[in-house]
Amino acid sequence: MTLTDVRERPPAAVSPRRRGWPGWVAVAVWAAGIAAAFAVGWYLRRAGLATEDRLPPLHARARGWPLTWQMLPAAVVAAAAVAALPVLAARLPWRALPPVAWAGAALWTVALAASGGWGALKAPLDAPTEYPAGLAQLRPDPLLWLQTFTERLGGYTTHVRGHPPLPMLVLWALEKAGFGGTGWAAAFIIAAGTSAVAAIAVTVRCVAGERAARAALPFLVLAPMAVWFATSMDAFFLAVGAWGTALAALAARRAGTRAPACAVAAGVLLGCLPYLSYGLLPLFAVPLAVLLLARPRVRVLVALAAGLAVAPAAFTLLGFWWPDGVRATLDTYLVSRGSAQRSYAYFVVANLAVLGLLTGPAVAHALPRALGTLWRDGRSRTLSPAGPVAALAGAALLGVLALDASGVTKGEVERIWLPFAAWAMVAAALHRSRPRAWLAAQAATALAVQALVLSPW
């Protein structure tokens, strides 16, 4: 039995209206939660209790005048995608589908960002707080820069101070390859970030079957979180984690000599995650879920472990000790007058509203079914056809909850949640009917956010 078979044969004893009411309640909670987060944020700011952000819970500001005709290209792309994606997902040969989805996600991301002018594609990276502004300190001697990274952390730009050194080294390598400047960096981030759509689809196919992957792809392409894909480095972090997980899923599925090599590559990518962002440790819940679902052979696990050790070993040998980096970053964070002063009580709840904004109403509607599937599968100790999809989405949500409760992510989560939100998007594959209506709702959410909100990313 496949996931689609389950959708096509709902239990006859329960009416469609009764089956669907938990989803509609979830959509109502989704809308009310987002509205409440902005209303409370407005009140806190007016009372002088939230001055770090102009439009809490987003680290953004409301546009002085909403975009109108500038949104027309993005609206046209959205309309075409709503009409074409379900057909393409159902009819294209599988080998063609991931590249087409990647191209579609990139087009949607660029169309949204370009509504603010073509300069908006790279403008975020031109900010003095961003990574490229710190390249001048790295260029003379990258090895010395790495060895003294924690000692000199206080003198670096905001985003360099808040992260391990690997994002800067990636931009430096891109520059050394002849692709210097924020324009090339923006193109790299958009291309890498949107490629995660293909990686997630490959993973879903490996653990849940091709029909589930085809059902998820339109929602991955037309996701509201595309508003923040250009040009946040967190989109690149998403790609690294997604391709590492996809390679792990492929290694677990394959036989022969290719499986260990694939597992080593997966381990190398996943081992880079803690060196891209300290907040990516909870994301390991997703590849762990994949391994539990796929149950790979011992040699694949050994190869994966060997790959996981590469990045920690390399950085340690080159002079960067990860625990020291965590400690130095935390010290810098606590003495700052910015995000450390934000209200934990407000953001621990409001952060989840921002996650809802990234994933959209389609995921909210599907979430009760996903959680119900996990509950029933856990009680029966059997895996239902919808179980793997629910497990991937549940693992991502578990990672979000862990990071949110830690209090480290107080605000600015519209970019921080990107590596997690993309995996939560697969829950939309559980929709039984009306895919175009839900796709249209997703697109409308993204268009509304882009038209009303001016984000630094």
Side-chain angles (χ1 to χ4, degrees):
M1 183 180 289
T2 65
L3 182 60
T4 303
D5 294 332
V6 173
R7 292 198 206 98
E8 292 172 352
R9 295 203 303 269
V14 184
S15 69
R17 182 173 296 179
R18 288 186 62 189
R19 284 198 312 273
W21 75 262
W24 289 111
V25 170
V27 172
V29 171
W30 170 84
I34 291 172
F38 279 99
V40 174
W42 173 84
Y43 171 79
L44 291 175
R45 181 166 175 80
R46 187 172 182 179
L49 302 175
T51 57
E52 173 73 8
D53 310 291
R54 295 186 182 183
L55 190 64
L58 298 178
H59 186 63
R61 62 182 175 88
R63 293 186 185 272
W65 189 259
L67 298 178
T68 52
W69 61 267
Q70 299 96 330
M71 298 298 301
L72 185 59
V76 170
V77 170
V82 169
L85 282 174
V87 176
L88 294 175
R91 297 182 182 178
L92 277 181
W94 173 256
R95 288 189 177 183
L97 199 50
V100 168
W102 181 5
L107 178 61
W108 174 232
T109 297
V110 171
L112 283 170
S115 63
W118 286 108
L121 289 170
K122 73 179 188 71
L125 293 175
D126 290 327
T129 58
E130 280 286 348
Y131 298 99
L135 281 173
Q137 295 166 304
L138 183 152
R139 288 188 190 106
D141 191 339
L143 185 57
L144 179 63
W145 177 86
L146 184 61
Q147 291 171 345
T148 59
F149 182 78
T150 54
E151 299 169 18
R152 302 178 181 179
L153 194 64
Y156 297 144
T157 63
T158 302
H159 281 272
V160 178
R161 290 199 307 268
H163 293 81
L166 186 52
M168 284 290 290
L169 294 173
V170 170
L171 291 179
W172 173 79
L174 194 67
E175 185 179 77
K176 294 297 288 185
F179 300 102
T182 53
W184 282 113
F188 170 74
I189 292 170
I190 293 170
T194 54
S195 76
V197 168
I200 295 172
V202 169
T203 306
V204 174
R205 184 174 184 256
C206 287
V207 300
E210 188 170 314
R211 289 187 179 183
R214 288 177 180 271
L217 262 175
F219 294 97
L220 288 166
V221 171
L222 209 60
M225 62 184 179
V227 171
W228 290 280
F229 265 23
T231 40
S232 165
M233 278 294 283
D234 295 78
F236 170 64
F237 305 163
L238 160 64
V240 173
W243 282 110
T245 304
L247 288 171
L250 287 170
R253 188 180 180 185
R254 288 179 175 178
T257 57
R258 291 184 178 182
C262 200
V264 170
V268 170
L269 288 176
L270 293 174
C272 287
L273 290 179
Y275 293 87
L276 290 169
S277 174
Y278 299 116
L280 288 176
L281 281 180
L283 187 62
F284 277 91
V286 176
L288 179 59
V290 168
L291 294 177
L292 291 174
L293 290 167
R295 297 182 181 181
R297 297 178 180 179
V298 173
R299 64 173 183 166
V300 170
L301 293 175
V302 171
L304 182 65
L308 279 169
V310 170
F315 275 96
T316 301
L317 289 173
L318 291 174
F320 174 74
W321 180 236
W322 191 83
D324 286 347
V326 174
R327 190 177 302 108
T329 297
L330 183 60
D331 290 342
T332 304
Y333 173 77
L334 292 175
V335 300
S336 71
R337 295 182 179 180
S339 56
Q341 308 303 317
R342 291 177 174 134
S343 167
Y344 175 83
Y346 169 66
F347 277 101
V348 75
V349 177
N351 284 347
L352 301 180
V354 176
L355 177 68
L357 203 58
L358 267 68
T359 54
V363 172
H365 188 271
L367 200 56
R369 188 182 179 205
L371 296 178
T373 298
L374 291 175
W375 174 257
R376 289 189 296 271
D377 287 1
R379 290 190 65 183
S380 64
R381 297 185 181 181
T382 59
L383 189 64
S384 64
V389 170
L392 290 176
L397 292 176
L398 183 63
V400 165
L401 291 174
L403 193 55
D404 187 35
S406 73
V408 174
T409 52
K410 290 190 290 187
E412 303 185 33
V413 292
E414 55 267 35
R415 59 176 181 81
I416 295 170
W417 286 161
L418 285 179
F420 301 87
W423 290 101
M425 288 297 308
V426 303
L430 300 177
H431 282 297
R432 295 186 177 100
S433 60
R434 299 193 298 271
R436 283 194 175 89
W438 286 115
L439 280 175
Q442 296 289 88
T445 301
L447 292 169
V449 172
Q450 181 65 20
L452 298 172
V453 175
L454 183 59
S455 174
W457 301 292

